Amino acid sequence: MTFGEQPAYLRVAGDLRKKITDGSLPPHTRLPSQARIREEYGVSDTVALEARKVLMAEGLVEGRSGSGTYVRERPNPRSVARTGFRGPGTSTPFRQEQAAESARGTWESRSEQADAGAEVAERLAVRVGDRVMCTKYVFRDAGEVMMLSTSWEPLAVTGRTPVMLPEEGPLGGCGVVDRMAAIDVIVDNVAEEVGARPGLAEELLALGGVPGHVVLVVQRTYYASGRPVETADIVVPADRYRIAYHLPVR
Amino acid sequence: MTFGEQPAYLRVAGDLRKKITDGSLPPHTRLPSQARIREEYGVSDTVALEARKVLMAEGLVEGRSGSGTYVRERPNPRSVARTGFRGPGTSTPFRQEQAAESARGTWESRSEQADAGAEVAERLAVRVGDRVMCTKYVFRDAGEVMMLSTSWEPLAVTGRTPVMLPEEGPLGGCGVVDRMAAIDVIVDNVAEEVGARPGLAEELLALGGVPGHVVLVVQRTYYASGRPVETADIVVPADRYRIAYHLPVR
DNA sequence: TCGAATTTGTGCGTATGTATC
DNA sequence: GGATACATACGCACAAATTCG
């Protein structure tokens, strides 16, 4: 603390963090106990405790009462491709994980009619209380749940057509764009907003995560001639996936 | 703490949280000082401090040194636009780095040469140890830090040209695409990967957050004819911002 | 099976630095 | 400058969980 620099607990946390990220403290190993940190860095109990708390808040380590503080496993997030843009001459070193993975995925779904709530109504540009078809998906990749999705479609668009139920009929499971095309609704653009937050208990239960884990949330809305025809909330665990976009410039 | 119940600091935090959420402590009001909490709840200084920390970690309040602890405005996440796709008719000049509406944004930067590490080398498709120009940005919106960015450009591309330093010369601060165009490097596409994680202590210090808050991380790479010419890590607090993409379909 | 040592988690009292009013 | 309030830091105590002889 004689430092004019940063607080002592951040200095200690920073040093431990470096040892974790550079591999000298690999996953599942125990980091020095509070008492040892106190000795090694010549700091007080409080500083050692605060430093551990910082690393725990960052999700790098987890404390097990009575046992120790352990380095967490940090899987290398894979990419989930969100656009089909391919430039002329696809020589760009875009990683190969995208196409292969999504092909062998499986999913389940359940549809039911509902009334549009305030948020869904705004996203679909309908009135609150208008009838919508709500479909919940669970996506699996190699048997492991990787993605949750809840989709809403206004019945004003799909009602009394063969594609009213997303997963039934000849076009079941074919994707929004193709299904809409079948009823002459030409989807021409899509807006996606990517956010993140701590996962809800139920989400993390389904995704096989741990309370406190972070999830990415994509709010996606498909438009046909400026009119919203489908909107969805897509939830993926942030420690295992990233959302990838590939866009032309200009 | 003689209670067999929950920890004292959680009890205090819970009570204050209720007062905040039910509106009896509206945004921008100051909550009781540490000393007053100590008196009102009959707890020690440490417990009062720990309770405040809990609320800060939840993003409900923010501490201002020397002034007090204030209830934060419930942040309705704003969008940061990431693509230039516009419906026919709009020709807005725009900067990839900032949302259109934050025209009043300001930024600072600091550049220095460095050797490419393993990750940067892969993203730029150069060899580990190759010289790169590393620039760190701090973006402010209405005076408030909203975004951190670290950018790397291979000196093999910009070295010995007028745009070697991103923020100097006639094209300083003009954006990667225009600067590269000035040296006849035509940027034609960009890949972005959006991930999320708990923010590092230093990041959250700069962003006005608290350890444990979630940040969105965008890894952006610009390509010119398939060759990476710039890559950047962009960090924004997830409780205040979302990343928005608008894409054509098919 | 028992018990001792270790470790985390929580809590207390105090002191000092520093930003704000 | 002085008063107030947060932020950091030190040292200690104890309960609960775990580990290990």
Side-chain angles (χ1 to χ4, degrees), chain A residues 1 7-9 43-47 65-67:
Chain A
M1 48 91 169
Y9 72 98
V43 293
S44 76
D45 195 55
T46 311
V47 171
S65 190
S67 172

Side-chain angles (χ1 to χ4, degrees), chain A residues 9 19 29 67 131 155 173 186-187 214 223 238 250:
Chain A
Y9 72 98
K19 289 188 180 175
T29 58
S67 172
R131 299 297 282 174
L155 281 176
I186 309 302
V187 173
V214 177
Y223 294 89
R250 202 79 77 186

